[in-house]
Amino acid sequence: MGGACGTVGRELGPPQATSIKIETVAPNPLNTWRHSLLLDYEHAVCTWSAAMPIRERPTRYGAAAQFFHWVIAALIVTQFALGWTGHGLPVGAHKLTVLARHKSFGMTVLMLAVLRLLWRSTHPPPALPAGMSRIERGAARATHGAFYVLLFAMPLTGWMMSSAKNYSVSWFGLFTWPNLISKSEAAFNFLRATHEALSDVLCAIAVLHMLAAFKHHFWNRDNVLKRMLPFTDSGRPG
Amino acid sequence: MKLTLDRQALRAAGVCAAVVAAILICATAFPGSSATSYTADPAASRLEFTGIQAGAPFKAVFHKFTAAIDFSPDALADAHFDVEISLSSVDSMDGDRDSTMRGADLFDVTHFPTAHYVTHGGPIKTATGYAASGALTLHGITKEVPIEFTFAATAAGAKLMGSAKLKRLDFGVGQGDWKSTEGVGNEVSVAFSLALNPGPSR
């Protein structure tokens, strides 16, 4: 950890830097900003996070990324359970209660997705194992990209669907989100179909994602799975 | 004898005429001494309620209702409101929700097609307007529901705006699963804005 700390700024470098680690950073316009942000906060974070790093080490995800990953994963599983239960229930008080929870959790996912995207855009993930082919890297990038798109698309289509039905979305009864669009039966039907279709896509990608993680762990025997697991030591390079 | 009787009859008639004249003069000179009768113009009036569904508020209006309002600010004791609401005219901008509300477990419009609100006693003046007590009959159950309102004369007649709060389960609006307040809250707030035209009560 000590090695990562104090070197993060140099590892990321400005966009034109030629450090060995720069390959882990996808070139993007945020790089310069990211660089200065990291230098600004490096001291504070590093002195505090020596035991369980909040930020990414070269070989594993940091605590913040792990928190986002596992909390959102648990919420998505819950969302499938609530969504399918609510879908199958007849119109009634029970259905309302189940779907109210579905909406509250969904809005929680949306808020976490915003934070996660901000975090991810300033904290690049550890590099993929060196032995992966271009196709594998492309597949990994596409899968992760699709996850991020769906993390926004799922709650947003759900929120719009509720708006189109004129059923405002509450967050656990504490406050009410504004309606995104006005009442429209046609929009509601379209958004419901979209929300359901996207949930199928999300389910398929999640299965792919898990299979890939297990393939890396049991077949390639690299640290791709372990580096996202809390309470494990995956300090060794993948 | 005949003459005496005629004189007495004439005197009695004269007294009666004087009393009637006095009443007419009083009524003309002090028009506020009794309440004026109005009826609500349905097109310009609005009767809505706000409930809590799945933690979020929703609004619904009743398109069909009649309101006979006897009110005058200087004859509060004579005030009397009589409002009848057609429950099947409920409109919350969602057909599923409306038909659910009309159903047997909620309004049960088949058995209780209307709600009826009648004030009793004179309203009292408050800092912001008036407060009246009245009884609401809904779903076959009659309970006290106080209202607060303001009254303003307009070119056409008057504007009566106000609100009330009630608990739906007090009236048994919510049977079966709907007895739970988790999906739909117990508290319901009512708001009304009535455009009153001068005219007799029913």
Side-chain angles (χ1 to χ4, degrees):
Chain A
M1 182 57 220
C5 257
T7 61
V8 174
R10 282 193 298 283
E11 283 166 9
L12 295 176
Q16 71 276 18
T18 53
S19 153
I20 187 81
K21 286 287 186 280
I22 194 64
E23 69 185 60
T24 69
V25 184
N28 82 43
L30 283 168
N31 260 6
T32 309
W33 176 69
R34 183 158 70 206
H35 177 67
S36 61
L37 183 97
L38 285 181
L39 289 179
D40 287 348
Y41 288 100
E42 187 176 61
H43 177 72
V45 173
C46 281
T47 50
W48 176 69
S49 61
M52 178 60 183
I54 295 289
R55 297 192 311 205
E56 283 61 41
R57 281 191 272 173
T59 55
R60 67 175 286 137
Y61 284 97
Q66 292 194 2
F67 168 84
F68 285 127
H69 176 273
W70 290 109
V71 169
I72 291 174
L75 284 170
I76 288 173
V77 171
T78 312
Q79 283 297 77
F80 269 95
L82 289 171
W84 279 111
T85 307
H87 189 270
L89 285 170
V91 173
H94 189 43
K95 183 179 186 126
L96 278 185
T97 309
V98 169
L99 290 180
R101 274 185 208 133
H102 180 75
K103 294 176 191 185
S104 296
F105 283 130
M107 295 310 287
T108 309
V109 170
L110 182 61
M111 291 187 279
L112 287 172
V114 171
L115 295 176
R116 187 176 187 181
L117 187 67
L118 283 173
W119 183 265
R120 163 87 185 224
S121 66
T122 53
H123 300 80
L128 291 171
M132 281 173 69
S133 71
R134 274 185 62 187
I135 291 171
E136 285 175 313
R137 284 168 187 274
R141 199 176 299 123
T143 310
H144 290 148
F147 268 131
Y148 273 91
V149 169
L150 288 167
L151 279 188
F152 286 88
M154 286 303 299
L156 284 174
T157 50
W159 185 2
M160 287 165 75
M161 175 180 155
S162 292
S163 303
K165 186 81 175 154
N166 195 26
Y167 288 8
S168 296
V169 176
S170 163
W171 196 66
F172 298 106
L174 296 175
F175 62 90
T176 305
W177 297 85
N179 282 353
L180 290 180
I181 57 173
S182 53
K183 160 77 183 173
S184 160
E185 202 65 32
F188 171 75
N189 289 331
F190 171 76
L191 287 160
R192 183 171 62 182
T194 309
H195 192 69
E196 287 171 10
L198 289 178
S199 78
D200 293 342
V201 175
L202 177 57
C203 191
I205 291 176
V207 168
L208 196 65
H209 179 69
M210 286 185 283
L211 288 176
F214 290 136
K215 180 244 178 201
H216 277 279
H217 190 72
F218 295 111
W219 183 264
N220 303 105
R221 294 173 184 276
D222 57 27
N223 80 334
V224 160
L225 174 62
K226 277 175 91 177
R227 66 191 195 164
M228 192 42 112
L229 295 178
F231 320 120
T232 61
D233 179 23
S234 62
R236 67 194 169 83
Chain B
M1 188 63 186
K2 195 169 182 280
L3 193 71
T4 318
L5 265 178
D6 284 350
R7 268 198 195 135
Q8 282 181 341
L10 205 62
R11 197 177 292 139
V15 169
C16 279
V19 168
V20 168
I23 290 171
L24 284 174
I25 288 165
C26 279
T28 318
F30 310 103
S33 63
S34 72
T36 315
S37 294
Y38 301 94
T39 47
D41 171 11
S45 299
R46 186 176 169 88
L47 173 61
E48 70 174 32
F49 69 88
T50 304
I52 303 291
Q53 173 194 325
F58 74 95
K59 271 189 183 8
V61 299
F62 292 105
H63 289 301
K64 280 190 202 157
F65 61 93
T66 58
I69 306 293
D70 296 343
F71 186 82
S72 181
D74 40 16
L76 293 180
D78 293 341
H80 187 255
F81 299 178
D82 188 310
V83 182
E84 192 164 278
I85 303 151
S86 162
L87 295 173
S88 58
S89 74
V90 68
D91 178 2
S92 69
M93 283 179 71
D94 178 62
D96 290 341
R97 183 162 51 199
D98 294 343
S99 53
T100 304
M101 283 194 281
R102 292 182 194 115
D105 283 346
L106 291 162
F107 286 150
D108 193 9
V109 295
T110 316
H111 296 104
F112 308 103
T114 59
H116 195 193
Y117 184 73
V118 186
T119 60
H120 51 74
I124 55 161
K125 193 124 180 55
T126 64
T128 51
Y130 304 93
S133 20
L136 175 65
T137 305
L138 170 64
H139 198 254
I141 294 172
T142 303
K143 292 255 178 194
E144 282 295 301
V145 175
I147 56 170
E148 291 185 355
F149 63 94
T150 59
F151 180 90
T154 60
K159 190 90 174 169
L160 185 76
M161 296 176 74
S163 62
K165 283 195 186 313
L166 55 91
K167 291 188 166 69
R168 64 179 179 91
L169 294 177
D170 287 353
F171 298 89
V173 176
Q175 300 294 314
D177 277 358
W178 299 105
K179 278 183 180 163
S180 159
T181 55
E182 207 177 352
V184 174
N186 196 8
E187 314 273 332
V188 176
S189 54
V190 178
F192 52 88
S193 166
L194 306 181
L196 301 179
N197 292 333
S201 341
R202 287 161 302 150

